[in-house]
DNA sequence: GAAGATAGTCCGAATTTCGGACGTCTGCAA
DNA sequence: TTGCAGACGTCCGAAATTCGGACTATCTTC
């Protein structure tokens, strides 16, 4: 850490945290309680379902930890564990109905925050930001298979 | 959370995490052990020292938690608590020698990672990214007084 | 079909987080 | 000046989180 002036780390983290907090607050306001750790795992779940170990690797957290978090998410009804058709050892963590409802409840706030960003930055910079970040993720994502 | 395709949250978080992990690994390799929570507080400490409550607000974490983390950082010799000349109730958390040494030990890796980014993105996009993020922080930083 | 790797889980201990309640000190108001 | 609301940080203790070790089931390979 450290890099006096414009600390690149914080430059990325501050907006992230802002967005995360807004979205989480919206979900909570709508009755969908969820902790930060839960949210960080939840947001990585693929539309077709993700394996526990994929989530663990992507989030850089041990399998046991993700397992425990998924337990909580499952208990709360946000996700479901379904057998993986390709591998009997594995199970896919999939977003359940209540999880989708939670996402939908927060969607307007998410859109609103992002819209605020677009207004503040202007269309050009906003589009650039998105594009450049997408390129940056190409080389910083540990679990590239998912993003590409 | 959620926003199918290019999830803005992850777009910001993935590179952040990558940088954080690289820097932390470098520090550890040089003998400066530090947990993620510790690092997240540590990186917010101002050059002139920061108050506990400032750190707490900036990092969006209760004072007690930051207090406990600062205890650890202090015990490890990374920071020092000094009286705040302006307010006898407060104390300033300042980076200590060993903390500066830790920063220096990781600096080359930090520079290297950022340089990798610059090479991958190209000078123009790299500069744009930095500039745009700096503008974004203007409206997403909860503790604006610090950054501006 | 035996050996080795991989998916996920169970167990339990260490660590971390943080609400509540306090003691101290400041700064404003009367 | 004195009084007092409010801000600064700390102590205490309970709850939650994290995650190493060890294990079973299953897949892969030779």
């Amino acid at each position: 850490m450290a890099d006096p002036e414009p600390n690149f780390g914080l430059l990325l983290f501050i907006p992230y945290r802002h967005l995360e907090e807004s979205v989480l607050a919206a979900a909570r306001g709508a009755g969908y309680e969820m902790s930060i750790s839960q949210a960080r795992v939840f947001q990585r779940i693929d539309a077709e379902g993700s394996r526990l170990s994929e989530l663990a690797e992507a989030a850089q957290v041990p399998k046991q930890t993700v397992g425990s978090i998924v337990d909580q998410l499952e208990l709360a009804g946000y996700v479901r564990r379904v057998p993986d058709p390709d591998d009997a050892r594995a199970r896919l963590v999939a977003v359940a109905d209540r999880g989708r409802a939670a996402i939908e409840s927060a969607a307007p706030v998410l859109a609103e925050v992002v819209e605020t960003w677009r207004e503040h930055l202007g269309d050009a910079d906003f589009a650039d930001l998105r594009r450049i970040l997408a390129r940056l993720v190409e080389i910083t994502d540990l679990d590239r298979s998912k993003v590409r």
Side-chain angles (χ1 to χ4, degrees), chain A:
Chain A
M1 300 312 73
D3 168 8
E5 287 21 299
N7 181 326
F8 228 128
L10 284 181
L11 248 32
L12 290 161
F13 190 61
I14 290 171
Y16 171 72
R17 196 73 170 72
H18 174 81
L19 182 61
E20 177 179 69
E21 202 46 56
S22 307
V23 170
L24 233 40
R28 287 196 189 112
Y32 298 102
E33 199 56 44
M34 191 181 291
S35 76
I36 298 239
S37 334
Q38 288 168 17
R40 288 195 179 156
V41 166
F42 186 66
Q43 82 181 324
R44 303 264 191 174
I45 298 172
D46 195 86
E48 303 90 49
S50 301
R51 291 192 186 176
L52 201 55
S53 34
E54 286 175 344
L55 295 174
E57 199 199 330
Q60 305 217 61
V61 159
K63 281 189 301 179
Q64 295 99 312
T65 304
V66 175
S68 155
I69 292 172
V70 169
D71 285 347
Q72 300 163 20
L73 287 170
E74 190 169 31
L75 193 62
Y78 296 128
V79 307
R80 245 173 330 135
R81 283 191 238 234
V82 301
D84 182 338
D86 299 337
D87 190 334
R89 289 170 304 179
R91 306 163 73 183
L92 292 176
V93 178
V95 176
D97 288 345
R98 183 167 157 80
R100 242 180 303 281
I103 293 172
E104 275 160 32
S105 79
V109 171
L110 171 61
E112 185 188 312
V113 170
V114 173
E115 176 57 21
T116 306
W117 292 5
R118 204 180 58 69
E119 281 168 14
H120 179 72
L121 297 176
D123 287 349
D125 275 356
F126 178 80
D128 278 347
L129 177 61
R130 199 154 200 156
R131 176 182 58 77
I132 299 171
L133 283 175
R135 288 192 57 217
L136 189 54
V137 166
E138 289 171 9
I139 62 166
T140 51
D141 188 4
L142 299 169
D143 183 29
R144 252 151 304 182
S145 58
K146 271 293 140 192
V147 172
R148 265 194 271 135

